[in-house]
Amino acid sequence: MRISDAQLKQVDRQVRRLLDSNNFYGRRLREAGIDGVSSVEDFYKLPFSEKQDLREAYPLGLAAVPQEQIVRIHSSSGTTGTPVIIPYTQKDVDDWAIQFARCYEYAGVTKEDRIQITPGYGLWTAGIGFQAGAERLGAMAIPMGPGNTDKQLQFMIDMEATVLTATASYALLLAEEIEKRGLKDQIKLKKLITGSERSGEKIRKRIMDALGVEYYDIYGLTEVYGPGIGISCAHSHAMHVWSDYVYLEIIDPDTGEVLPDGEWGEIVLTTLVKEGAPLVRFRTHDLSRIVPGDCACGHNEHPRIDTITGRSDDMMKIHGVNVFPAQIEEILASFPELSSEYQIRLSHLDRRDTMRIYVETNGSVDWEDLRMRVARRVKHRIGFTPLVKIVELGVLPRSEKKTRRVFDERYD
Ligand code: ZN
């Protein structure tokens, strides 16, 4: 979706503030010869930024306001070394709650609702975001935090929670416990709001059936407020992203080229009104696409992104098409005669890139027929024909940890 005039003005204001503050971004923009943004062409001259850049600004190099205006910090995961610190002003904290309250509204949550919050509190942006939005809306927040399933279930029943917020994995765990303990008649849940984790259609359906809830996906990341910058609506899985707070682009992760609506690539976000730590063209590494066309809910001022299918680090490029494992996985999952295991091998044969997909099945089906049907479906959905190899059930390697399923042998 092309940047609007109003958004351009907002970006211009952000860029000028960054230049004045001379923070990490300000210096970066000055080095790139940027002095403002008055046209779409100017916008595209703005350099991308990466998580690594934010890390280098540790501890408070991202702050674009004087220290006394910072009321809170959050931090994104430091699993790969130095954490990223995001400073917030009072306006940022308020804006985040406003966006989160809007998420709840899109999911049909009202102040009559009681929201059980299981994501964690602390440096993370999760729990506190869900809570601030609930309070802003006027609903009743039940700030459980993660873990302690017995207590979660007790409060869910006694407090008559109507909305559960959780990761998909924890929602599944709670759903299975409720089934196991025969508590379904005692719970009053109507909606589940989940985020931060990709969940396939099978898991979704399992949770919805077990809990008897509507399922909403929320989007966001610590660097850009936190969860709550977008949510799916009652009409589709795609998530509306708030165009009055962030400008959304999808780029080719290899070339940085901005892709048209409908094409899959990496989500890039620019904050429009953030004060504490504005971000300019921040590469999220989340893979999705802008869903073209109108949504039946009518909120077309807020563009929609599709379900996040993975991280750009996992992406494969073949015959000029960007493909990621989740797409192949989804296609394979539509064949009940295949196991959940697969392996993708990319190689360079006869000066051509080739994708081989190994799948498992048992002896009761016609292998040649199955092989052709899988290849045809991949061709139909992704646009090129892979070599499909069928192997006996149990042949592909299993691992208790994360199983490696993609092997790129093109440049070995
Ligand atoms: Zn909608």
Side-chain angles (χ1 to χ4, degrees):
M1 194 174 275
R2 201 182 148 95
I3 190 162
S4 71
D5 289 344
Q7 288 172 322
L8 270 180
K9 284 207 183 78
Q10 289 174 310
V11 174
D12 181 54
R13 214 172 298 142
Q14 292 257 19
V15 163
R16 287 172 193 279
R17 273 192 345 95
L18 287 165
L19 287 166
D20 287 344
S21 82
N22 203 33
N23 77 346
F24 152 78
Y25 267 108
R27 291 192 299 274
R28 186 88 180 274
L29 293 167
R30 191 166 289 118
E31 277 162 24
I34 308 280
D35 55 7
V37 176
S38 53
S39 64
V40 177
E41 292 70 40
D42 284 351
F43 179 81
Y44 288 131
K45 285 183 200 143
L46 297 173
F48 291 116
S49 52
E50 294 266 3
K51 190 154 181 163
Q52 186 53 38
D53 299 323
L54 308 193
R55 212 167 258 143
E56 281 164 18
Y58 184 87
L60 283 170
L62 282 180
V65 294
Q67 190 272 326
E68 68 269 18
Q69 290 179 35
I70 297 171
V71 300
R72 189 198 288 174
I73 61 144
H74 282 291
S75 169
S76 67
S77 71
T79 47
T80 49
T82 314
V84 169
I85 304 289
I86 305 292
Y88 295 65
T89 65
Q90 186 60 51
K91 175 179 160 53
D92 295 336
V93 168
D94 293 344
D95 282 351
W96 184 21
I98 291 167
Q99 293 176 74
F100 221 121
R102 194 190 283 168
C103 287
Y104 284 128
E105 282 167 356
Y106 267 53
V109 177
T110 71
K111 58 183 172 187
E112 304 297 325
D113 280 297
R114 299 168 175 205
I115 306 176
Q116 183 157 348
I117 299 163
T118 72
Y121 286 75
L123 282 172
W124 285 93
T125 46
I128 199 166
F130 281 97
Q131 171 149 352
E135 290 170 351
R136 181 105 200 170
L137 182 70
M140 184 172 106
I142 311 171
M144 302 296 295
N148 201 344
T149 299
D150 287 340
K151 198 164 192 177
Q152 298 279 1
L153 295 177
Q154 185 200 334
F155 272 63
M156 191 183 285
I157 292 166
D158 295 345
M159 297 296 125
E160 301 185 6
T162 55
V163 178
L164 175 66
T165 67
T167 61
S169 314
Y170 197 50
L172 180 65
L173 189 150
L174 288 172
E176 286 176 343
E177 273 313 302
I178 287 165
E179 274 186 341
K180 209 188 292 170
R181 302 182 193 192
L183 299 174
K184 197 173 173 188
D185 293 345
Q186 296 179 56
I187 64 162
K188 302 268 194 314
L189 290 181
K190 291 183 294 191
K191 295 166 199 293
L192 168 68
I193 299 179
T194 180
S196 84
E197 196 182 22
R198 183 169 73 82
S199 56
E201 200 50 47
K202 275 184 185 167
I203 292 190
R204 248 173 224 269
K205 201 172 164 339
R206 171 101 180 78
I207 297 171
M208 286 165 75
D209 291 349
L211 292 177
V213 290
E214 295 168 14
Y215 194 117
Y216 295 90
D217 267 319
I218 210 156
Y219 184 63
L221 50 159
T222 299
E223 292 83 353
V224 187
Y225 296 103
I229 64 167
I231 192 168
S232 60
C233 65
H235 297 273
S236 90
H237 284 345
M239 296 172 281
H240 290 275
V241 174
W242 313 134
S243 60
D244 42 353
Y245 290 93
V246 287
Y247 178 64
L248 172 69
E249 298 172 88
I250 302 290
I251 64 164
D252 181 316
D254 281 346
T255 64
E257 181 200 351
V258 178
L259 298 173
D261 291 0
E263 285 191 28
W264 291 90
E266 178 180 339
I267 299 174
V268 172
L269 299 171
T270 299
T271 62
L272 298 175
V273 292
K274 211 156 181 262
E275 292 181 339
L279 295 190
V280 176
R281 303 191 86 192
F282 180 68
R283 294 185 60 159
T284 64
H285 289 276
D286 287 334
L287 293 170
S288 185
R289 64 179 188 132
I290 293 177
V291 177
D294 290 346
C295 181
C297 77
H299 289 292
N300 296 309
E301 69 278 27
H302 301 301
R304 290 177 297 157
I305 49 171
D306 216 319
T307 308
I308 309 296
T309 52
R311 306 268 309 157
S312 57
D313 324 296
D314 303 333
M315 198 186 70
M316 310 169 271
K317 190 157 192 159
I318 183 161
H319 303 308
V321 183
N322 294 333
V323 188
F324 25 96
Q327 282 175 291
I328 303 288
E329 193 176 312
E330 194 189 312
I331 294 168
L332 298 178
S334 66
F335 290 88
E337 56 274 58
L338 295 176
S339 80
S340 63
E341 291 310 307
Y342 64 92
Q343 207 173 80
I344 297 169
R345 286 183 178 268
L346 301 171
S347 51
H348 200 68
L349 292 174
D350 304 328
R351 278 182 281 169
R352 288 202 57 183
D353 283 346
T354 308
M355 177 188 283
R356 280 169 296 154
I357 306 175
Y358 291 85
V359 292
E360 290 182 343
T361 192
N362 59 31
S364 69
V365 291
D366 179 345
W367 282 22
E368 181 56 20
D369 173 63
L370 178 60
R371 192 182 66 71
M372 288 196 313
R373 283 188 294 125
V374 172
R376 265 203 306 271
R377 202 168 295 176
V378 173
K379 161 83 176 156
H380 175 70
R381 298 274 291 277
I382 300 181
F384 64 86
T385 308
L387 292 172
V388 177
K389 308 269 185 186
I390 297 195
V391 298
E392 198 71 57
L393 212 57
V395 165
L396 295 176
R398 263 76 170 159
S399 157
E400 284 182 10
K401 297 193 197 122
K402 216 177 152 199
T403 307
R404 186 173 174 206
R405 296 197 167 90
V406 179
F407 297 84
D408 195 339
E409 297 159 337
R410 286 179 291 186
Y411 312 104
D412 285 356

